[in-house]
Amino acid sequence: MTKLNIVRDESTVDRIIQFCENIDQTGYNVMAVYGQAGTGKTMMLKKVSECLRQKFNIAAPTGIAASRIEQMGIKSFLADEPKTIHRLLEYTKGEKDEYGEYIKGKEPGPKRNKYNPLENHITLIDEASMLGRELYRNLINAMPYSYKIVLFGDERQLPPAQEKGNSVFLDLLNDYDAPKIELTKVHRQEEGGGIISNAHAINRGEIPKDNGKDFIVKDLPLMRNSNVFFKDISKHININDYIESNYQVICPTNAYCSKLNKFFQERFSENDPNKNYINCTFSDGGRGRLYEGDKIVFTENYYDLGFYNGNTGHVKEIIYNNVIYFRLEGSNKTITYPIPKMKKNQKHPRLKILLGYVVTTHKTQSKEYEEILAIYANDIWGAGNRRNLYTAVTRAKKKSLLLAEKYKLPEIIKNNGF
């Protein structure tokens, strides 16, 4: 990546304000603000939002990221509440006719476009590494004349799911002349803390080191069955903590998540005869049981209910063939989730959720947990790469535990994921 046209941390806020308010004459409409884990990208967005003197938009690629901006108190009387880029552009789902075809003029897509642009000329985007190409194009098309966009992100994190190659954000950083600002000072932990120092080591292609405190590296336990698995990992963690939403098990592939979720469900739910359950089809097409007390992850945005794709929660109560009550992560808020009616020839209701004891690294992006357990098995193929591992371990605020085959870890670090 070129290091030209880069401004370091000094006077960063002033530099971004000058860019947004057209004081700086770069001729570019888009600026990138980037840095590794802990360098204060979201806090920089907060400072910029407090200093802007023109109306602006604040948005993020996902509902989780947008809600986190709001939780951090990032707001201004010159901007509406943070929202997803989809909501900013007023995406519609479209309408279909009786044959399942989209009705002409009612196809899915954004209402905001070059013929119906956004009112504000400035837009700030957090978690820009997750920004997909089509969404980025639609955002550009919806901006008014003489617009400015500032993207805040970490180019070393995973690119958007289902997209191959470089992300939009990385392409911008590779643009020789595009204005960019690199944040280098670590704020989130004491400099030299195990999580941040090992995350930076991973980015340099080095094997992370076990410091016996906040970053633990151990051999992958035997995974023949749940009893053997839990016996091994219980030597390192209190497994009961991982039922809670602020502790999370992370794995790079859906296949391994499914396998490990069954282990956890078997341990915490299946052997309790007092728990109600329903047979269902999960959002990935897999069939199984959902028990009261299960940890789950939502796979769709429910804006009206205030939770999003990637939010975790717990099944509070199941009223058979009627509704499921969920307790949302980090609150005592109870969500009422009507069990959908089954279509003809459908054996079980299809729910827009997955078991959430173990989730993929992609599902954790833009989130933070007190503690994470990252599991990298020997048959995770290309999903086990440096960017994936870096993204996983940096989700933790206080402790990261990495379980991986000794001979596999160097391969993971060597594969930079590009």
Side-chain angles (χ1 to χ4, degrees):
M1 181 191 305
T2 178
K3 288 291 182 183
L4 295 180
N5 200 18
I6 290 176
V7 180
R8 301 291 176 175
D9 293 355
E10 298 82 4
S11 305
T12 298
V13 175
D14 290 343
R15 177 73 177 85
I16 298 171
I17 297 297
Q18 289 173 1
F19 172 80
C20 290
E21 297 184 346
N22 294 315
I23 300 168
D24 124 328
Q25 301 296 323
T26 62
Y28 271 77
N29 297 99
V30 184
M31 169 185 273
V33 179
Y34 70 105
Q36 295 189 61
T39 53
K41 296 175 291 296
T42 302
M43 288 308 299
M44 183 59 63
L45 186 153
K46 186 176 190 296
K47 290 178 182 178
V48 171
S49 69
E50 292 169 348
C51 295
L52 279 169
R53 293 163 294 188
Q54 300 179 22
K55 287 188 175 182
F56 61 97
N57 309 307
I58 306 178
T62 68
I64 291 283
S67 65
R68 185 165 174 266
I69 297 172
E70 194 164 15
Q71 289 164 10
M72 292 188 68
I74 299 177
K75 57 185 177 181
S76 167
F77 69 93
L78 292 173
D80 293 332
E81 79 280 1
K83 58 187 70 174
T84 64
I85 300 173
H86 283 87
R87 289 192 78 188
L88 179 67
L89 301 184
E90 300 175 19
Y91 266 69
T92 62
K93 292 185 177 181
E95 291 185 31
K96 293 182 179 181
D97 60 22
E98 58 185 310
Y99 304 104
E101 301 292 332
Y102 284 109
I103 299 170
K104 189 174 181 180
K106 295 185 177 181
E107 298 87 355
K111 288 184 179 179
R112 294 289 187 169
N113 50 45
K114 62 182 179 180
Y115 305 109
N116 180 30
L118 297 165
E119 285 80 15
N120 299 335
H121 288 250
I122 301 170
T123 295
L124 309 179
I125 302 293
D126 199 16
E127 297 290 351
S129 66
M130 302 165 67
L131 181 58
R133 294 184 180 281
E134 182 179 356
L135 189 58
Y136 181 65
R137 283 196 300 269
N138 288 339
L139 175 62
I140 295 294
N141 287 338
M143 293 300 295
Y145 178 75
S146 188
Y147 68 88
K148 296 290 181 177
I149 297 174
V150 183
L151 303 176
F152 296 79
D154 183 348
E155 82 285 3
R156 295 166 179 84
Q157 286 193 25
L158 287 171
Q162 274 77 55
E163 287 201 12
K164 296 181 178 179
N166 287 352
S167 64
V168 166
F169 191 57
L170 192 58
D171 283 347
L172 182 63
L173 294 181
N174 285 330
D175 186 322
Y176 186 86
D177 295 314
K180 51 187 81 79
I181 296 175
E182 182 182 25
L183 305 180
T184 57
K185 185 177 179 181
V186 173
H187 300 281
R188 195 163 76 195
Q189 293 188 55
E190 247 184 318
E191 197 157 2
I195 297 171
I196 296 300
S197 61
N198 272 301
H200 292 195
I202 289 168
N203 280 329
R204 294 192 299 269
E206 300 170 8
I207 303 297
K209 296 177 180 178
D210 185 333
N211 67 3
K213 296 176 182 178
D214 60 357
F215 201 97
I216 311 296
V217 183
K218 298 296 180 183
D219 279 342
L220 186 74
L222 295 171
M223 300 176 71
R224 290 194 300 268
N225 57 58
S226 61
N227 289 331
V228 174
F229 173 74
F230 285 116
K231 182 179 178 180
D232 277 354
I233 65 171
S234 294
K235 299 173 185 175
H236 313 298
I237 60 172
N238 179 1
I239 196 63
N240 292 320
D241 288 341
Y242 281 80
I243 304 173
E244 301 303 320
S245 296
N246 56 350
Y247 291 76
Q248 187 61 56
V249 183
I250 302 173
C251 190
T253 66
N254 284 310
Y256 248 91
C257 282
S258 179
K259 178 178 180 177
L260 292 175
N261 270 315
K262 288 176 182 176
F263 282 3
F264 275 84
Q265 190 182 55
E266 181 182 323
R267 180 182 178 92
F268 292 112
S269 295
E270 285 187 4
N271 296 322
D272 188 342
N274 297 317
K275 288 187 174 182
N276 290 333
Y277 68 86
I278 60 167
N279 293 305
C280 66
T281 301
F282 294 103
S283 59
D284 62 356
R287 293 179 182 177
R289 288 179 175 179
L290 183 70
Y291 289 85
E292 290 176 341
D294 270 339
K295 186 175 181 179
I296 57 93
V297 58
F298 295 98
T299 57
E300 278 199 0
N301 291 324
Y302 293 83
Y303 297 112
D304 53 333
L305 297 176
F307 61 99
Y308 310 98
N309 181 2
N311 269 137
T312 53
H314 292 83
V315 180
K316 188 174 181 181
E317 185 181 4
I318 295 174
I319 300 178
Y320 189 68
N321 284 339
N322 190 359
V323 297
I324 305 171
Y325 294 102
F326 293 110
R327 177 170 58 83
L328 200 60
E329 63 176 307
S331 73
N332 293 319
K333 185 177 180 181
T334 298
I335 303 296
T336 302
Y337 185 98
I339 297 174
K341 293 181 179 179
M342 290 185 287
K343 297 178 181 179
K344 190 177 180 181
N345 300 323
Q346 192 176 348
K347 292 183 178 180
H348 307 301
R350 189 176 188 121
L351 309 180
K352 302 297 175 130
I353 61 172
L354 293 169
L355 290 175
Y357 299 103
V358 186
V359 298
T360 61
T361 316
H362 269 109
K363 282 285 184 204
T364 66
Q365 279 190 275
S366 78
K367 299 186 72 175
E368 286 184 333
Y369 306 91
E370 294 297 301
E371 186 176 307
I372 67 98
L373 167 61
I375 299 177
Y376 285 76
N378 61 0
D379 54 353
I380 50 177
W381 303 291
N385 58 58
R386 189 188 305 172
R387 296 173 82 180
N388 193 296
L389 180 59
Y390 168 78
T391 304
V393 301
T394 53
R395 300 308 90 205
K397 291 189 285 186
K398 293 184 177 179
K399 185 178 181 180
S400 281
L401 172 62
L402 170 61
L403 300 180
E405 299 276 6
K406 276 187 177 179
Y407 73 89
K408 185 70 179 177
L409 197 51
E411 293 180 24
I412 293 170
I413 301 297
K414 186 177 179 181
N415 179 1
N416 65 16
F418 292 99

